[in-house]
Amino acid sequence: MAALPPVWLIVGAFLIAGTVKGVAGVGLPMTALGILTLQTDPRTAIALAIVPIVVANLWQFLTAGGAVAAIRRYLPFLLTMVVGIPITLALTADVGARFLFATLGLTMIAHVALNLTRWAPRFPDGADLPAQIGFGTLAGVLGGLVSLWLPAILIYLSARQVTKDEFVRATGLMLFSGSLPLMAGFWREGFLTGSLTIVSSGMLIPTLLGMWVGSLLRGHLSETAFRRILMAVLVLIGLNLIRRSLTG
């Protein structure tokens, strides 16, 4: 594990990431990891982000309502993702930082492309089961590698053309469900130590503060303008991560 980034950078990363989450409802891990990896390796950045990820997404899921129905509706997706994350993490535990930097950067750029183009496959209702299994598997692989399974969730939910409320409910469920095996896997592989858990738990304060600020900004800020700024920042971070993977 690399050395921890400066305290001001860690606190600032989660304050900004929480604000993004408060405004857009998603983007906490991607924003936090993008900032933290400026000063540390991806595994350490993910370990620092685990507790805020779990708590923020649990809160989003519980406040959206309809928990039991959502679990039943997306059970195939959840099962394949929850199994896929620890398996991928175990198989890639020894992968070098350069590969992780490249994967993280490409995932961020792919996320931006999905948001800008709003591309999604179309499949009939009868194909929902294989679609859930397929995209759940993709989410598991991305989650185990770089803890970013949101792109797979976005593709699936966009293809299903769910309502705004259903989108919030489903993303909260899927993001929270994936964070539990990720935390367990990081403990098992030794990436999440006691000291990192303490620091990660402490980052709940700036994260929740940021979410509160974001909820206030949501009513005064154009969501379109906000997303454009966020997407531009994520592209720059993604390109920098790819550069680091190529230059070592």
Side-chain angles (χ1 to χ4, degrees), residues 158-173:
S158 297
R160 298 303 298 153
Q161 297 180 305
V162 300
T163 65
K164 182 178 180 180
D165 289 343
E166 180 65 13
F167 176 83
V168 172
R169 182 182 302 110
T171 52
L173 170 63

Side-chain angles (χ1 to χ4, degrees), residues 42-61:
R43 298 292 196 202
T44 302
I46 294 168
L48 288 170
I50 278 183
V51 175
I53 289 171
V54 171
V55 174
N57 289 310
L58 175 61
W59 177 261
Q60 177 179 328
F61 173 52

Side-chain angles (χ1 to χ4, degrees), residues 24-192:
V26 295
L28 190 156
M30 199 165 295
T31 306
L33 296 184
I35 297 172
L36 292 172
T37 49
L38 294 173
Q39 290 274 320
T40 192
D41 69 283
R43 298 292 196 202
T44 302
I46 294 168
L48 288 170
I50 278 183
V51 175
I53 289 171
V54 171
V55 174
N57 289 310
L58 175 61
W59 177 261
Q60 177 179 328
F61 173 52
L62 293 179
T63 55
V68 174
I71 292 172
R72 290 175 178 170
R73 187 177 303 117
Y74 301 112
L75 189 59
F77 190 110
L78 298 175
L79 290 176
T80 50
M81 177 182 65
V82 166
V83 170
I85 287 175
I87 290 176
T88 301
L89 182 57
L91 293 175
T92 60
D94 296 327
V95 167
R98 293 180 67 173
F99 179 80
L100 293 177
F101 279 131
T103 305
L104 186 57
L106 290 171
T107 302
M108 286 186 175
I109 292 174
H111 173 78
V112 172
L114 286 173
N115 272 272
L116 294 179
T117 63
R118 300 189 182 278
W119 175 86
R122 293 290 181 263
F123 46 83
D125 291 339
D128 185 55
L129 178 59
Q132 287 202 42
I133 293 173
F135 287 110
T137 301
L138 176 60
V141 172
L142 291 175
L145 268 176
V146 288
S147 83
L148 298 178
W149 51 98
L150 180 61
I153 295 173
L154 289 178
I155 297 173
Y156 169 73
L157 293 178
S158 297
R160 298 303 298 153
Q161 297 180 305
V162 300
T163 65
K164 182 178 180 180
D165 289 343
E166 180 65 13
F167 176 83
V168 172
R169 182 182 302 110
T171 52
L173 170 63
M174 293 171 178
L175 292 172
F176 170 67
S177 299
S179 64
L180 297 179
L182 180 69
M183 177 181 281
F186 262 59
W187 267 110
R188 186 188 65 243
E189 300 297 334
F191 298 134
L192 183 60

